[in-house]
Amino acid sequence: MEEKGTGKKYRMTKVALTMAGIAVLWQMIEYVMKGQEIEFRFYLQVVKGIYLWLVVPITAVFAIYCDFFREKAKVFWRYLFPTVLTILILAVSFFRGSYFFFCEMITEERMENGMIRGEIFSFLGARYIYYEPAWGILRKHFQGWSQEEIEQTVKERYGDGIVWLETDPSGTRVCQAPGAGPGKEPFTFWVKNNYEMEDNYVESLIHSNALAYWSNRQGRKAYFSTSAGKGQGQLTFPCYSMEDVTFCASDIADWVWYVLEDERYPDMPESEYAVFNIWVDFYGNRREEISLSVKRNAKENDWEKLCKDISEKIMFYAKIHWESGSSADTGEESGEEIGPGEDAVWEERFLADYHRDDYEKEVFLQDGMIGYRMVVLDAALGSRMYGLIKSTDGGESWQVKSRDPFGESGMGIDFTFLDEDFGFATLMHNGGDEADLFVTENGGESYERCVMQGFTVTLDDGYVYDPYDYPGMPYEEEGVIYVLCGQGADGDYDGGDRAKMALYRSADHGHTFVFQEMKNSSPEE
């Protein structure tokens, strides 16, 4: 009996040692395979993980139980110890295996320079790591580039003129690039010492261009809030009401166009690329962060789509902050001052006592029977409130069409009708230096401000502005609406209106106009 028992002694221990030897052999197999079938390593890791973290530990428990506890320990400990140990190993194996499968499972590919890039799928999402080939599954993580290698790569990306300022403890280099255009100050950006040499050059360039653009912008003013980043600030746009959403989006789209005109921006990928994040300040409520994306061909006739996308994003938050509707009162005060009481009484009084054929501009359609007049309802300090009256009998009699068609005042008026319902008008501001274009599709009962793509120019001193800010009367050719924009009373850029004017085109019946080309003015003009 003793000899028989001696032959079986430590049998499970030998099995456990054999399985440990197999684990070592497995590591060697993986080492051999790492330079060849890189995809096979993924499946190798799966099988190895199960073997190392489940099969081998449980085998070791039974080896200890069979060879050391089963004959020598008391009955209580003989069963309690292996049971508790097995449960602990199973628990550890479960959590360790879950962590392995969800946080360490790596798909790999070999880079051209011999480095291996591993894509890790974790609870926080996918991410890349870079490491050099090493023994088995051991990985030597990327140690960083030398200063000379970083400088050479940044030079290849962005050209000469980069000045190296400092290096922080994490290895991030802070650099200075030339200004974003003539007369503009240099700007700083950082370069991380990781495998990709990530940098925020594009964001910093946008920041520099934005400062130049909005510092000279008339009307809406974007502003920058301070930030803890290196030379960065958060760009914020004010939006004043629900009615202002479209025009806020138009101003932002104009800025994006100006930004993308800088040739120093690197080529964008074919997929959508988030150029920048902005904040929109909903006038008296709160600010919301909005991420804007543009495509590589954004400058190729996509201004309308970009403006529409921005408008939809802003409108989503605007509805949250202004559920009760517009926060702006538009022009009702002047109407109350001129004609309190019922509309019919006011209309009779106006036509009898105020109108008396006194009007600022008159338009008749081709039939000569239907005509319109813009009349002044109130005036103060050079600003006038207009009303629209209509005749259907060649001017023999008139009826009030609208007491406040625009919802605002102007310093002068021009208007036209292409048919009885469809027409345009321009309200002049600042002594004739600029004007706003409006469209109506209900015969002048109300006008809607047209959305127009800005056309900015940069002077030699870095000054940025839109010289073509005085639209004329739109016209229709082959079903398409066009309008020529001049520079107004203060226009002297590039020869003024006598030399060139900006031609705009509308694809939505006059509600939105997009810049098409510059048109040479005729000698008579």
Side-chain angles (χ1 to χ4, degrees), residues 473-485:
M473 286 295 97
Y475 59 93
E476 185 174 4
E477 287 186 358
E478 299 180 355
V480 180
I481 306 297
Y482 297 91
V483 65
L484 281 168
C485 288

Side-chain angles (χ1 to χ4, degrees), residues 492-523:
D492 58 0
Y493 170 74
D494 198 21
D497 292 351
R498 290 182 175 274
K500 294 179 180 180
M501 298 183 76
L503 179 66
Y504 287 78
R505 178 179 185 274
S506 176
D508 60 358
H509 210 235
H511 293 272
T512 302
F513 285 89
V514 177
F515 173 77
Q516 180 161 314
E517 61 179 339
M518 296 302 301
K519 296 279 288 186
N520 292 325
S521 300
S522 63

Side-chain angles (χ1 to χ4, degrees), residues 13 17 58 75 126 137 166 208 324 335 341 367 369 375 381 518:
T13 302
L17 291 174
I58 292 179
V75 176
I137 63 170
E166 61 182 17
S208 179
S324 60
D367 61 4
M369 299 302 293
V375 297
L381 301 176
M518 296 302 301

Side-chain angles (χ1 to χ4, degrees), residues 199-220:
D199 64 69
N200 70 333
Y201 178 91
V202 172
E203 291 82 356
S204 297
L205 183 57
I206 290 172
H207 181 277
S208 179
N209 274 328
L211 286 173
Y213 182 85
W214 293 104
S215 62
N216 302 317
R217 177 81 173 186
Q218 300 296 320
R220 190 186 314 276

